[in-house]
Amino acid sequence: MSGTAFSAALRSAIATSGLGLDRIQARLQDHGITISVTALSYWQSGKRQPERQSSISAVRTLEEILDVPAGTLLGLLPPPRPRGSTSRRRLDDRSQRRLSLDDARDVALVGLHDHCVVTTGDTPGDGPHSTVTAKAVFRARADGQDRWLLAYRQDGSDGGEAAPDLTALRNCSVGRIEADPATNLTLAELIFSNAIDAGETQLVEYSLSYQHDPCPDTRKAHFREFWEPVPEYLLEVDFDPARPPAQCWRYSYRSHGGTAESQDVALDDRGRAHAVAVDFGPGVFGIGWL
């Protein structure tokens, strides 16, 4: 049976517990959580993955019911999948026409450093904020390259969080932007301060500001979806030392049916976590926390 690392771990935990799906559903109901047997079956087969806030809460309770350590299942969840099998393709095709992205294909990302700072909301109902400062190095594959297509996806609990605000900081400016709320995908042009020729490099810096779901049980994350291999990606996440996350992990999975991987990440004495990917992609790499 194929599937993800999450579905494989769930199948194993269910088999070890000796409980049938009907009994598991009943025990979830005892905890005030309503999940259909069909949904549980889809989760363990890999046909579906828990994404909404209620489903994430169900996974936390499943760990207790199946008697596995906290985070064993939750830490294996990849980012939510795009809604609709054709929505991303429609956006890609439409945006390429509107943004004239043919020239951007001749620029390669050779290094990326994301520094994410998470700030806890100070007022009731105000969720945490995160600001990501990105330093990216590009190399031209042909002469006269003056832009890069930035694609980013918001990791909301139910697909409803707003797209982040994009600000150019160094050696670039923001061009046209296309957003598709149905897939949480945003495409934006980063216009270089000067064109580069084949073999030349350009260092740019920009920031992304996010507003997260205020619910404390909602999984948060910062991740990158790489459409081409990247030689090195460094991700740092700073948390408030007075309010560290209950759990923090790095995760990754490669495109074209790759297996998801997850590993706990320890915070340093300043409340920071980091993860490094070398020669990674295409695929998704990120850090999640609760």
Side-chain angles (χ1 to χ4, degrees):
M1 181 183 294
S2 62
T4 64
F6 169 79
S7 64
L10 179 59
R11 287 197 303 272
S12 176
I14 290 174
T16 301
S17 73
L19 298 173
L21 295 184
D22 289 339
R23 186 58 184 153
I24 293 174
Q25 180 197 35
R27 293 196 179 184
L28 285 170
Q29 187 67 51
D30 290 342
H31 287 77
I33 297 174
T34 301
I35 297 290
S36 69
V37 171
T38 299
L40 291 171
S41 177
Y42 282 166
W43 289 358
Q44 72 168 347
S45 69
K47 292 181 179 179
R48 302 277 178 83
Q49 67 184 32
E51 295 184 1
R52 297 182 181 276
Q53 177 185 324
S54 59
S55 298
I56 299 300
S57 297
V59 173
R60 292 166 65 91
T61 305
L62 269 174
E63 292 175 339
E64 179 182 343
I65 293 172
L66 299 176
D67 195 25
V68 298
T72 298
L73 300 176
L74 190 65
L76 295 176
L77 283 175
R81 299 172 183 172
R83 269 66 173 177
S85 60
T86 62
S87 57
R88 176 174 171 178
R89 183 176 298 111
R90 288 198 300 268
L91 175 63
D92 289 348
D93 292 344
R94 182 178 69 246
S95 298
Q96 286 182 6
R97 290 194 297 272
R98 290 182 178 179
L99 296 179
S100 300
L101 299 178
D102 289 341
D103 292 340
R105 296 174 183 173
D106 289 324
V107 177
L109 177 65
V110 296
L112 178 63
H113 177 194
D114 279 344
H115 184 197
C116 178
V117 178
V118 181
T119 305
T120 304
D122 296 324
T123 59
D126 183 19
H129 307 263
S130 63
T131 299
V132 181
T133 301
K135 294 181 179 179
V137 179
F138 303 100
R139 177 179 290 115
R141 293 170 173 152
D143 291 345
Q145 303 307 305
D146 64 353
R147 68 196 63 205
W148 168 255
L149 172 65
L150 173 63
Y152 47 95
R153 201 183 300 278
Q154 178 75 327
D155 188 17
S157 61
D158 61 1
E161 292 189 6
D165 293 328
L166 170 63
T167 303
L169 300 176
R170 179 183 176 192
N171 296 336
C172 64
S173 60
V174 178
R176 288 164 288 182
I177 297 177
E178 294 285 344
D180 187 344
T183 62
N184 276 356
L185 182 67
T186 299
L187 303 179
E189 284 180 320
L190 286 179
I191 309 298
F192 300 158
S193 56
N194 58 278
I196 53 176
D197 292 333
E200 295 180 341
T201 58
Q202 175 72 295
L203 169 66
V204 305
E205 189 172 346
Y206 59 92
S207 68
L208 296 166
S209 296
Y210 297 82
Q211 173 73 47
H212 295 289
D213 192 313
C215 177
D217 290 333
T218 301
R219 182 172 57 104
K220 317 307 192 295
H222 177 71
F223 66 95
R224 289 284 186 166
E225 183 174 3
F226 296 101
W227 294 356
E228 292 185 351
V230 59
E232 181 177 281
Y233 173 50
L234 168 62
L235 170 57
E236 295 182 277
V237 183
D238 288 11
F239 301 98
D240 183 350
R243 299 177 181 178
Q247 185 181 359
C248 186
W249 63 92
R250 70 164 179 81
Y251 60 89
S252 65
Y253 65 89
R254 296 179 182 268
S255 303
H256 312 303
T259 300
E261 298 179 356
S262 178
Q263 181 177 346
D264 287 342
V265 174
L267 305 185
D268 63 20
D269 55 3
R270 294 190 178 184
R272 297 173 176 173
H274 81 276
V276 180
V278 177
D279 295 328
F280 179 81
V284 169
F285 187 93
I287 289 179
W289 63 90
L290 283 172

